[in-house]
Amino acid sequence: MAKRGRSKKSSNWLTVIMLAVVLIAAVAAGIYYASSRAEKDVEGGITGAPEQIELLEESKAAQKAVDDILLTRDNWQLTDNGRAEQSEKQSSGTEVIWNKRELAIGIPAGTELRDAAGWLRDKIEGSGLESVRLEETTYNDWDSVRLDIAISTKAGEGTKEFVTDVVYFYHNLNLDKPDKDIKKEEPAKPKRSHHGRLAVIIDDCGYDVDLVQRLVNLHAPFSFAIIPYRDFSSDSLHVINGGGQVAMLHLPMEPMNASAMSEGKSTVLTSMDDKRIMQLTREMVNSLPGISGVNNHQGSKATSDERTMRAVLKELKRDGLFFVDSNTYAKSLGDKLAAQMGVPTGRNNIFLDNSTNEDEIIGKIWQAAAIADEYGSAIAICHARPHTVNAWEQVIDEVKASGLKLVPVTEVLH
């Protein structure tokens, strides 16, 4: 019996020892977990935060990333002015140690200092680095722009930055290879504000369907006037209808200068009798099924001839089509006679692309916006040409943001 009692007592002691070991292990694991959670928390935030945090490896990695970017520039001179350990005590009592260096970057005189600094700032985006300072200053008495690059680490509920690179950009007159890919930082454009309605008609569709497609892709309510019987007239009509835009016939009409007439036999002439004018007009309308209206192509002589215009308008009225006078001639009677005959009508206020210079075309677009503001609405005409399409692609977002209301031409007729 005594022997069995000693065995029970020994078993109890073994159980106690095992429980103690488990408890100690659990406490140790908890301490290690808390310590690891606080390891990079520079503000502590956890009881027992470490007295010292080293960010030396992180600093080294950040500086290498900056080097890798700068070394892609074969016409810049890089000077490493040295590095040194930094330390900073946090409010929690934790001391943070990291590495900071100074770089001097000589760049060609033709490159703006701020543009070069902006290039580096943009390049580090997405790399885990941050630019925390960009300012004009001096470096060795030379004009300079300073860019500070930092790493960030956890600080309580947020983050805190520690500068790892101070980069000075200055002009090195020995460097003369231009920086073609360093884009100049343009000053912010003043935001435009407009309130009028502008209807834009795109003339001469039918010569090139790709240009028409690019304009349709801008998702602006343009109206498109199609030259009949051209290689891409039907294709253009298909693209325009697919985009939900207003399709029109760009009706060829006789100009004052007969030698400038571009469409040959498919042109309404003042020498034709009324029957032939109406027949030719109907044929061209029927060649583009589903159009909503018409404007004149050329036509300075025909649109200023009352008999000719009345014959054209009589045919358009029978089909319920509108007529926009392209205003190629100050004495044109088209819109006046259309109003008298009950045909919905309007008159072009401005041509946007008499120049092939894209900046000038953009200037004309804003001029049209001002006309629309002054009168409440306006009609502008441009053409399906490469420079015109390029200009619209450059400015369309700004136009939409300006408050100017682009509308189909059908909304400004009377």
Side-chain angles (χ1 to χ4, degrees):
M1 294 292 292
K3 188 175 181 180
R4 286 194 299 271
R6 282 195 301 270
S7 177
K8 183 176 181 181
K9 183 176 181 181
S10 175
S11 176
N12 289 339
W13 274 108
L14 182 59
T15 300
V16 170
I17 291 170
M18 291 178 66
L19 288 173
V21 170
V22 171
L23 181 59
I24 291 169
V27 171
I31 292 171
Y32 175 81
Y33 177 75
S35 174
S36 66
R37 292 285 290 176
E39 185 178 8
K40 296 295 183 183
D41 189 345
V42 300
E43 291 296 344
I46 301 175
T47 303
E51 294 182 0
Q52 190 179 85
I53 291 177
E54 286 192 2
L55 299 176
L56 297 176
E57 288 301 317
E58 289 86 346
S59 302
K60 182 178 179 181
Q63 290 161 357
K64 184 179 184 305
V66 172
D67 288 343
D68 289 343
I69 293 170
L70 290 172
L71 289 173
T72 64
R73 309 300 309 170
D74 60 1
N75 56 333
W76 288 5
Q77 184 183 65
L78 280 62
T79 304
D80 188 329
N81 291 330
R83 60 196 76 199
E85 285 190 7
Q86 309 291 309
S87 66
E88 182 180 296
K89 208 159 193 177
Q90 308 304 306
S91 59
S92 62
T94 298
E95 181 184 21
V96 178
I97 299 175
W98 77 101
N99 188 281
K100 183 166 79 172
R101 69 173 175 175
E102 179 182 287
L103 291 177
I105 312 296
I107 65 172
T111 301
E112 294 290 338
L113 297 173
R114 185 171 283 271
D115 296 339
W119 175 86
L120 179 56
R121 176 197 59 199
D122 294 343
K123 286 293 184 182
I124 66 173
E125 286 185 4
S127 66
L129 305 179
E130 297 181 23
S131 61
V132 293
R133 182 187 210 177
L134 196 159
E135 64 180 13
E136 295 181 3
T137 182
T138 58
Y139 172 76
N140 288 346
D141 295 328
W142 299 320
D143 289 339
S144 171
V145 168
R146 171 177 171 168
L147 175 68
D148 287 7
I149 299 173
I151 57 175
S152 61
T153 191
K154 190 173 184 299
E157 295 299 320
T159 60
K160 188 164 185 177
E161 290 81 25
F162 297 92
V163 174
T164 56
D165 279 298
V166 177
V167 187
Y168 291 96
F169 292 86
Y170 68 96
H171 284 137
N172 184 331
L173 300 182
N174 294 319
L175 303 173
D176 55 9
K177 186 177 179 181
D179 282 314
K180 294 181 180 179
D181 59 338
I182 305 298
K183 295 182 180 179
K184 182 174 179 60
E185 288 191 354
E186 299 292 344
K189 295 180 181 179
K191 187 175 181 181
R192 295 178 181 270
S193 179
H194 293 282
H195 57 271
R197 294 184 302 157
L198 179 65
V200 177
I201 297 175
I202 312 295
D203 275 357
D204 290 357
C205 300
Y207 296 113
D208 186 328
V209 71
D210 291 335
L211 294 173
V212 174
Q213 183 67 70
R214 284 169 62 187
L215 287 164
V216 168
N217 289 346
L218 295 179
H219 303 294
F222 296 147
S223 304
F224 294 82
I226 305 169
I227 292 278
Y229 310 130
R230 285 293 174 176
D231 290 345
F232 298 102
S233 297
S234 296
D235 291 337
S236 295
L237 179 62
H238 178 73
V239 168
I240 294 161
N241 287 337
Q245 315 284 58
V246 171
M248 304 165 55
L249 165 66
H250 197 32
L251 180 65
M253 303 187 77
E254 183 181 2
M256 288 292 183
N257 181 2
S259 65
M261 193 167 64
S262 67
E263 300 307 306
K265 294 181 180 179
S266 301
T267 302
V268 172
L269 304 176
T270 55
S271 59
M272 296 175 175
D273 60 24
D274 289 3
K275 182 178 179 181
R276 176 57 184 151
I277 292 172
M278 295 174 68
Q279 178 188 8
L280 184 59
T281 300
R282 168 161 291 281
E283 288 173 356
M284 287 189 276
V285 167
N286 289 343
S287 75
L288 297 167
I291 60 171
S292 301
V294 173
N295 72 334
N296 56 288
H297 170 65
Q298 299 184 328
S300 51
K301 185 173 183 179
T303 58
S304 58
D305 182 81
E306 182 172 348
R307 182 192 64 81
T308 301
M309 277 308 309
R310 285 191 179 277
V312 169
L313 291 167
K314 184 176 180 181
E315 190 62 35
L316 299 186
K317 183 175 182 179
R318 187 169 73 170
D319 283 346
L321 302 176
F322 64 78
F323 178 78
V324 172
D325 193 323
S326 297
N327 198 12
T328 58
Y329 184 50
K331 295 182 180 180
S332 174
L333 302 172
D335 59 320
K336 179 181 177 181
L337 293 175
Q340 289 178 5
M341 295 174 65
V343 174
T345 191
R347 189 181 185 95
N348 174 39
N349 298 102
I350 183 172
F351 284 100
L352 304 179
D353 56 355
N354 288 333
S355 167
T356 59
N357 183 289
E358 291 169 19
D359 288 337
E360 291 181 15
I361 295 171
I362 290 172
K364 287 289 187 179
I365 291 171
W366 292 118
Q367 187 177 338
I371 295 172
D373 285 350
E374 182 177 357
Y375 296 102
S377 64
I379 297 173
I381 289 179
C382 57
H383 300 79
R385 300 170 182 161
H387 293 292
T388 304
V389 177
N390 291 342
W392 274 112
E393 287 175 339
Q394 292 174 51
V395 81
I396 188 63
D397 289 339
E398 189 179 357
V399 168
K400 290 177 179 179
S402 73
L404 179 68
K405 187 176 181 183
L406 294 172
V407 296
V409 70
T410 50
E411 291 192 17
V412 296
L413 303 177
H414 58 269

